[in-house]
Each structure stands twice: as structure tokens, then as C-alpha cells.
Amino acid sequence: MVYPILESLRLSLFNSSGTGGTWAGLANYKTVLSSSEFWHSVYNTFYIGFFQMIITIPLGFIFASMINSVAFAKNFFKVIFFLPNVTAIVAAAMIFTFVLHPDMGILNYFLDKVGLPTPLWLSNPGTAKWAIILLGVWHWIGFVIIICLANLQAISPELYEASTIDGASGLQQWLFITIPNMMGTFAFLLITGWIGALQRFNEVYVIGGPTGSPNRSIQTVVAYIYEHGFTGFQFGIASAATYVLFVIILIFTMFNLKLTKMKL
């Protein structure tokens, strides 16, 4: 683990195509930080990650609350919702390319049946981002549900019994007992979700290639690193971008820890 970290740092200070190289100092970092393509990939990464978070975490919590409240078939619902999470993301991305096909895809088929517009999901820069978001929500929501269920089942039943005696309704119990006791779990999901979102690569590579087609609309930071390192053989720039990404993740994680008041 230590060697590739140090080697990447060394490469970030050299102009290298993989063998040898010449000293570049901080020139690679300057190139990365002044690249509009890099900052566009940063924007894509945060855009996709943000909307995946605000959809998946609340929706997963609601589903977990519903599953926790039923008296039967809990394990069945757990398995059904968790199946996407254990599906390889590469396989899931390939399936979604068929699901989102403009003519033969099942999603546009149902949209057409109910009279809604049928967009060219993976051909339009605007809808391509939402295609990745939908894939992310579908793939991650099972994990969110399982984590939320674990916390829901750890909340003391005595709290609910006491509130029932005091005349609290089911909605009031959910708002004033359940949600406050879930804040630690929400913080955990937020932090781990953002770390995963900032490292997003597999699905965007399968669907849009290293440049994040169409028009770099779904290229993430890791895809930018891959493009320059393993497509353009600019390992110095790719390594510099890797360390910039590390700093972004570090700063953003510390900000989230401070925001959620979690302790390391």
C-alpha cells in the first residue's frame, strides 16, 4: 500500500509516460488545477453524488421504516431490496444501458404508456447525468435500508411504549423518537456515501467511456485520472490529479465530520 502511494507522489512531480521521465516540479499540479476539463469532472462528480445522496438516504430510511413496521416477511423485503447492492456495478451499468435505450428500453416504454416524454437518456448531456444518478440510487439503496434497519431495531421499545401512554400518534413517534435516534446513522451514510461518490468510476466508464460521453457530461474525477493515465499515458498529470482528489476527499470528509459532529 505504501509503495504505490509514494510512487504516485513521485510521478506527480515528473513528466512521465510510464518509463523514466523528466523533473516537472509542480507543473503537473498547475496543469490540473488550470484545466477546465478537470473542474468540469469535479462538477459532474459532485452533481451526481449530491442528488444520489438526497434521494437515496431519505428514500432508504422510509423503506426501512416501512419494513420495520410490518409483522411478517421482513427477511423477504430485506433480500429483495439488498439484491441490487450485491450486483456487480459493471453488470448493473450494462443492464441500465438496455433499460435506458431510447427505443427498446423498458423505462421509455412505460413513460410512453403514461404519456410522459421519452428522453434520449444516454445521448443527451443533461439526462445522461440523471441516468447515472438513477443507477446509483438503485444500486445503493439496499445498503442504506439495511443500515437504517439495524439502527431502527436498536431503538428501545420502551420509548415508544412511554410515548403511546402519553398519547403520541405514530407520526409523532416517527418524528420525535425515530428520526432523532437515527442521526448517527444518517451521518455515517452521508460520509461514506460522499467518499464513494467522489471515487465513482466503474459505471461512468462502462456507460460513457473514459471521456464520459456525451460531451464529457458524466466524466468523474477518477475517469479524468484514468483518461490521462491509461489512455493518454500522461502519468505525471494523472498522479497529480490523484493527489488533488485525495485533498478534496480529505477536506470534504473533515467538513462532513464537523457538520455531523461525528468523532474519528
Side-chain angles (χ1 to χ4, degrees):
M1 291 176 63
V2 173
Y3 172 74
I5 292 172
L6 295 178
E7 177 62 10
S8 181
L9 178 62
R10 185 192 72 81
L11 281 172
S12 71
L13 303 174
F14 283 79
N15 289 321
S16 174
S17 60
T19 55
T22 56
W23 173 258
L26 298 177
N28 289 326
Y29 290 94
K30 182 179 179 180
T31 299
V32 169
L33 294 174
S34 61
S35 169
S36 60
E37 292 178 357
F38 173 77
W39 289 112
H40 187 62
S41 70
V42 172
Y43 167 77
N44 292 338
T45 303
F46 275 90
Y47 183 97
I48 295 169
F50 173 76
F51 283 103
Q52 180 182 325
M53 293 294 109
I54 65 170
I55 293 172
T56 312
I57 294 177
L59 195 61
F61 172 55
I62 292 170
F63 284 152
S65 298
M66 294 170 66
I67 294 171
N68 193 52
S69 65
V70 298
F72 60 92
K74 286 186 180 181
N75 289 333
F76 171 77
F77 289 117
K78 289 178 186 178
V79 170
I80 290 297
F81 280 106
F82 196 67
L83 275 176
N85 191 253
V86 297
T87 304
I89 189 63
V90 173
M94 294 182 69
I95 292 170
F96 259 69
T97 59
F98 292 103
V99 171
L100 300 172
H101 192 280
D103 299 320
M104 298 178 290
I106 190 171
L107 182 56
N108 275 4
Y109 172 81
F110 284 113
L111 291 176
D112 182 61
K113 287 297 181 183
V114 297
L116 294 175
T118 55
L120 303 173
W121 288 100
L122 301 177
S123 300
N124 182 288
T127 55
K129 283 188 180 66
W130 278 96
I132 300 298
I133 292 168
L134 287 175
L135 172 57
V137 170
W138 176 82
H139 192 261
W140 194 50
I141 195 167
F143 176 80
V144 174
I145 290 171
I146 294 298
I147 296 298
C148 287
L149 270 171
N151 194 351
L152 286 168
Q153 292 169 0
I155 299 174
S156 174
E158 295 176 355
L159 294 174
Y160 295 102
E161 292 171 2
S163 64
T164 301
I165 294 171
D166 291 336
S169 65
L171 179 60
Q172 289 174 323
Q173 290 177 338
W174 193 66
L175 290 174
F176 299 108
I177 297 177
T178 305
I179 292 179
N181 278 281
M182 292 290 297
M183 297 310 294
T185 292
F186 293 152
F188 168 78
L189 290 171
L190 187 67
I191 291 169
T192 56
W194 267 118
I195 291 173
L198 293 173
Q199 296 175 330
R200 189 185 309 275
F201 171 72
N202 293 335
E203 60 267 49
V204 297
Y205 179 79
V206 171
I207 292 175
T211 60
S213 298
N215 197 28
R216 295 185 179 274
S217 60
I218 60 173
Q219 186 186 50
T220 60
V221 178
V222 179
Y224 173 91
I225 294 168
Y226 181 91
E227 179 192 8
H228 285 272
F230 297 99
T231 302
F233 295 101
Q234 298 172 305
F235 288 103
I237 291 176
S239 297
T242 301
Y243 268 87
V244 173
L245 175 60
F246 166 74
V247 172
I248 291 173
I249 293 175
L250 180 64
I251 293 172
F252 203 68
T253 301
M254 295 304 295
F255 170 77
N256 280 326
L257 287 171
K258 190 75 174 177
L259 182 67
T260 58
K261 297 181 173 59
M262 284 188 71
K263 295 181 179 180
L264 289 171

